[in-house]
Amino acid sequence: MKFTQPKLPYSPDALAPVISQRTVEYHWGKHEKAYIDTLNDLIRDTGYEDMTLEQIITHSEGKLFNNASQAWNHIFYFFQFSPEPTPEPNGRLAEQIERQFGSLDELKRLMEDAGKGIFGSGWVWLSADHEGKLLITQAGNAANPMTDGLRPILTLDVWEHAYYLDYQNLRADYLHKIWDIIDWDIISIRYE
Ligand code: MN
């Protein structure tokens, strides 16, 4: 099997009450596992077997793109969390947020608004362009800004499976609470 699911760096109950153990078990344990299993089935005995996951994402479409991108997106999502997160960005990212948005709170507000504005399933992305400028974008379904030449820094999953067990229809509450587990040290390192 080409791609394997990494082990999370925290226990399934560590993100509660922001994200419950049950949601981690379903979202990471079942949804993400299914994307990776399907990806492996789709690439078996094809030229894609020799590619990295990022190469597959930027050189595929349809079902293969959807499963490859979702496999990547969820690793990126779950590995930005910590039960004891660093609450503020540092270094160059802290300076860039201040320069572009004025404050971390304003960046959070804009990302929450972007998430509330997505109709149906998708992701909110914070990315950097080749000059280091930050961009907040909305993406439907599996879309990932790396296909537009951007470098992802942080992502918010707004598929219902990300929050429905814990927040039911209250997507806005989920988006507001999620900052309590975002580790800005990890996000700052991604930006460097
Ligand atoms: Mn998801």
Side-chain angles (χ1 to χ4, degrees):
M1 191 176 289
K2 165 92 199 242
F3 293 107
T4 55
Q5 191 169 7
K7 186 170 164 27
L8 290 178
Y10 45 80
S11 64
D13 63 352
L15 305 179
V18 179
I19 296 177
S20 68
Q21 176 169 351
R22 194 151 174 257
T23 290
V24 173
E25 287 170 350
Y26 273 89
H27 194 190
W28 179 256
K30 295 186 187 294
H31 288 277
E32 170 67 343
K33 181 180 186 304
Y35 292 128
I36 294 174
D37 288 349
T38 304
L39 168 65
N40 283 322
D41 287 343
L42 290 171
I43 64 173
R44 188 172 298 121
D45 300 326
T46 75
Y48 291 106
E49 271 190 323
D50 300 322
M51 292 188 183
T52 65
L53 188 48
E54 290 81 359
Q55 287 171 327
I56 295 174
I57 291 168
T58 51
H59 294 85
S60 66
E61 54 190 24
K63 188 176 181 184
L64 177 56
F65 170 80
N66 286 337
N67 283 276
S69 194
Q70 285 293 80
W72 192 98
N73 294 351
H74 284 93
I75 294 169
F76 200 70
Y77 173 79
F78 277 99
F79 277 74
Q80 69 194 351
F81 299 139
S82 167
E84 292 178 353
T86 301
E88 304 264 343
N90 50 64
R92 290 180 56 235
L93 179 60
E95 291 169 17
Q96 191 67 22
I97 289 173
E98 180 73 24
R99 187 177 303 129
Q100 279 188 245
F101 303 100
S103 70
L104 180 61
D105 282 344
E106 178 64 4
L107 170 69
K108 290 177 180 175
R109 190 184 69 76
L110 291 169
M111 290 192 73
E112 288 177 37
D113 282 351
K116 286 184 266 186
I118 293 173
F119 186 81
S121 296
W123 301 79
V124 179
W125 292 94
L126 180 67
S127 306
D129 71 9
H130 62 284
E131 291 174 331
K133 184 187 172 199
L134 297 166
L135 293 96
I136 296 168
T137 54
Q138 297 169 311
N141 298 317
N144 182 303
M146 76 171 74
T147 60
D148 297 320
L150 298 172
R151 193 160 51 90
I153 302 295
L154 188 161
T155 193
L156 306 177
D157 186 344
V158 298
W159 286 55
E160 282 190 344
H161 68 219
Y163 61 87
Y164 208 84
L165 292 175
D166 301 326
Y167 300 88
Q168 291 76 51
N169 59 320
L170 303 177
R171 183 191 284 182
D173 288 2
Y174 154 75
L175 289 169
H176 194 61
K177 287 294 289 178
I178 202 167
W179 303 114
D180 291 349
I181 53 170
I182 297 274
D183 190 323
W184 283 97
D185 203 33
I186 294 169
I187 310 302
S188 300
I189 289 166
R190 287 174 176 176
Y191 180 75
E192 286 297 321

